[in-house]
Amino acid sequence: MDKTRKIIDMTEHPENYSEDELRQLLIDDDEGRKIYRTICQLNAALECKSDMKPRRVSMIGKIAAIFVGVCLISGLAYAAVSTGLFGSVVEKPAEQAAPTVVAQVEKPVVKKKAETVEMTEIVKTYEDVTLKQILGDIAATYRLNVNYKSSKAESLRLYFRLDTRRGLERVIDDLNSFDNINITINGDTLTVD
């Protein structure tokens, strides 16, 4: 039985415990004493009838109920978040007039194949951004050129999460999964059909 339940049982049925047990848990233990005081104050607030106006008694009861509810909800929310209950949430994209960048994390020092050129890792979320801007960032990261065969492709607007740690081929595969996009890698050039 945990300490709080034991103290509640002691306050409701003190005859079941010896004086030493009561003293040890309710007086000598700081945490136990605080729990006992809180329980006594709540009981007193809920049972107080003669000294206070009825409106004030109900107000104290409401405050106690709100306090207990907030503690319970906070504990449940913490448990849900810490155990990963929510996982990843997919949000519907909101319509926006101007492109926005939601998150960006840059880490230096990733070597590109056998070359001595250093590359920056990027994790970035694009919301309603043109393909030209996304490919511009990819080209700058991997030091590539971009060749558009159609001007329509440049102006396509996307919601896309760029993570250069996954490698250029995976990033291009992710982009190619969109309708109307076909990107190929030709040496140091990205070709967009």
Side-chain angles (χ1 to χ4, degrees):
M1 183 181 316
D2 68 339
K3 191 180 288 187
T4 304
R5 286 187 181 162
K6 192 170 185 178
I7 292 173
I8 291 171
D9 189 54
M10 284 181 165
T11 57
E12 292 176 353
H13 305 286
E15 67 275 1
N16 295 341
Y17 297 90
S18 68
E19 228 179 82
D20 290 335
E21 288 177 308
L22 291 170
R23 180 179 296 115
Q24 182 181 14
L25 193 59
L26 302 178
I27 297 173
D28 296 338
D29 183 11
D30 288 337
E31 184 183 6
R33 189 177 14 196
K34 288 177 185 176
I35 294 170
Y36 177 72
R37 279 190 200 144
T38 304
I39 292 169
C40 288
Q41 289 171 351
L42 282 173
N43 285 337
L46 294 173
E47 294 176 1
C48 181
K49 293 180 183 174
S50 61
D51 295 340
M52 303 178 127
K53 295 178 182 178
R55 183 173 184 229
R56 184 157 179 179
V57 171
S58 65
M59 180 67 105
I60 291 173
K62 288 178 184 177
I63 291 171
I66 290 170
F67 176 75
V68 170
V70 168
C71 290
L72 179 65
I73 291 171
S74 298
L76 290 173
Y78 176 76
V81 170
S82 65
T83 60
L85 180 65
F86 292 117
S88 62
V89 177
V90 177
E91 297 180 17
K92 288 186 176 179
E95 292 185 29
Q96 298 178 352
T100 58
V101 175
V102 175
Q104 181 175 356
V105 177
E106 294 187 13
K107 294 180 183 177
V109 189
V110 172
K111 295 198 177 185
K112 184 178 178 185
K113 298 184 182 177
E115 299 176 14
T116 58
V117 178
E118 291 184 357
M119 183 181 68
T120 303
E121 288 183 351
I122 297 176
V123 176
K124 195 177 197 180
T125 302
Y126 298 91
E127 290 187 8
D128 196 28
V129 177
T130 63
L131 179 62
K132 183 176 182 175
Q133 185 177 349
I134 296 170
L135 287 178
D137 287 352
I138 293 171
T141 302
Y142 290 101
R143 293 168 180 76
L144 301 170
N145 299 314
V146 180
N147 180 20
Y148 294 94
K149 290 187 175 181
S150 166
S151 61
K152 283 185 177 180
E154 291 181 50
S155 61
L156 288 174
R157 300 187 81 73
L158 303 174
Y159 292 86
F160 183 70
R161 184 171 188 274
L162 172 63
D163 185 353
T164 60
R165 297 175 296 186
R166 297 177 65 218
L168 177 62
E169 290 79 17
R170 297 278 309 268
V171 171
I172 297 303
D173 287 344
D174 289 345
L175 283 169
N176 283 335
S177 68
F178 288 97
D179 291 339
N180 302 323
I181 296 178
N182 184 24
I183 303 169
T184 56
I185 304 169
N186 302 320
D188 66 345
T189 303
L190 295 176
T191 304
V192 183
D193 293 327

